Amino acid sequence: MSQTLDTSKAMKLVIEKARETMNQNIGGPFGAAIIDPEGHVLIVASNSVLKDHDATAHAEINAIRQAGQLLGTHDLSGCTLITSCYPCPMCLGAIVWSNIKHVIYGCTAKDANSIGFRDDMIYDMMRQKEIESKDLILEEEHRKACLKLFKEYQEKEKQLY
């Protein structure tokens, strides 16, 4: 980064947004911000799972979606994500897919677990040799038909992202 990022100011905005929407019963105590490569705050978002009835409406996902819309791209290379809590596996996946390489977080997954959120349980499940458990069954079916679709995408030289 060409400029020193003032993480305390950005985290303050994240916490304020999370507290505001948490108190409105929009979502949990989670907020996130996307900072551009020059250190400017582009987006401050919060968790909106309860309001949107959407299990994927985590603060990091909402911030990534809004930043992509604002910038007109899915590629957030050079941006930093600041979040009130260590990202859950879903959010980590979105961070990787959006090409964000720098994440600053406040609380840990264990902190989230201590107040009843399941982040740590999901990480434990992922550490197992097989992800399947009593809580999740992963079943492969119709692979041949899906591989045909994948091959068509490759043959048409569609954009990889």
Side-chain angles (χ1 to χ4, degrees), residues 62-110:
N62 288 342
I64 289 168
R65 287 176 179 156
Q66 291 173 31
Q69 290 296 308
L70 177 70
L71 298 174
T73 183
H74 61 277
D75 186 353
L76 301 180
S77 295
C79 291
T80 297
L81 186 138
I82 299 187
T83 179
S84 60
C85 189
Y86 188 87
C88 75
M90 175 185 68
C91 292
L92 275 177
I95 290 164
V96 170
W97 286 120
S98 66
N99 295 314
I100 293 172
K101 306 276 192 265
H102 187 200
V103 176
I104 297 169
Y105 63 91
C107 293
T108 65
K110 290 191 185 315

Side-chain angles (χ1 to χ4, degrees), residues 40 52 106 110 122 133:
H40 303 109
D52 295 339
K110 290 191 185 315
I122 298 169
S133 70

Side-chain angles (χ1 to χ4, degrees), residues 7-136:
T7 59
S8 61
K9 284 184 183 176
M11 187 63 83
K12 184 177 183 210
L13 293 172
V14 163
I15 291 168
E16 286 173 0
K17 181 70 170 177
R19 181 173 286 122
E20 173 191 333
T21 57
M22 173 187 75
N23 287 330
Q24 295 170 346
N25 297 318
I26 289 172
F30 306 105
I34 302 288
I35 313 302
D36 74 11
E38 288 75 41
H40 303 109
V41 176
L42 296 177
I43 297 293
V44 180
S46 65
N47 180 296
S48 60
V49 168
L50 301 176
K51 174 184 165 268
D52 295 339
H53 306 291
D54 179 352
T56 69
H58 290 197
E60 298 90 339
I61 301 287
N62 288 342
I64 289 168
R65 287 176 179 156
Q66 291 173 31
Q69 290 296 308
L70 177 70
L71 298 174
T73 183
H74 61 277
D75 186 353
L76 301 180
S77 295
C79 291
T80 297
L81 186 138
I82 299 187
T83 179
S84 60
C85 189
Y86 188 87
C88 75
M90 175 185 68
C91 292
L92 275 177
I95 290 164
V96 170
W97 286 120
S98 66
N99 295 314
I100 293 172
K101 306 276 192 265
H102 187 200
V103 176
I104 297 169
Y105 63 91
C107 293
T108 65
K110 290 191 185 315
D111 296 330
N113 186 63
S114 73
I115 64 167
F117 288 94
R118 299 177 292 169
D119 303 44
D120 217 27
M121 181 273 297
I122 298 169
Y123 278 113
D124 288 343
M125 194 167 90
M126 290 174 66
R127 286 183 198 101
Q128 297 173 22
K129 198 167 194 139
E130 295 291 327
I131 291 179
E132 290 188 52
S133 70
K134 65 179 174 57
D135 297 316
L136 177 66

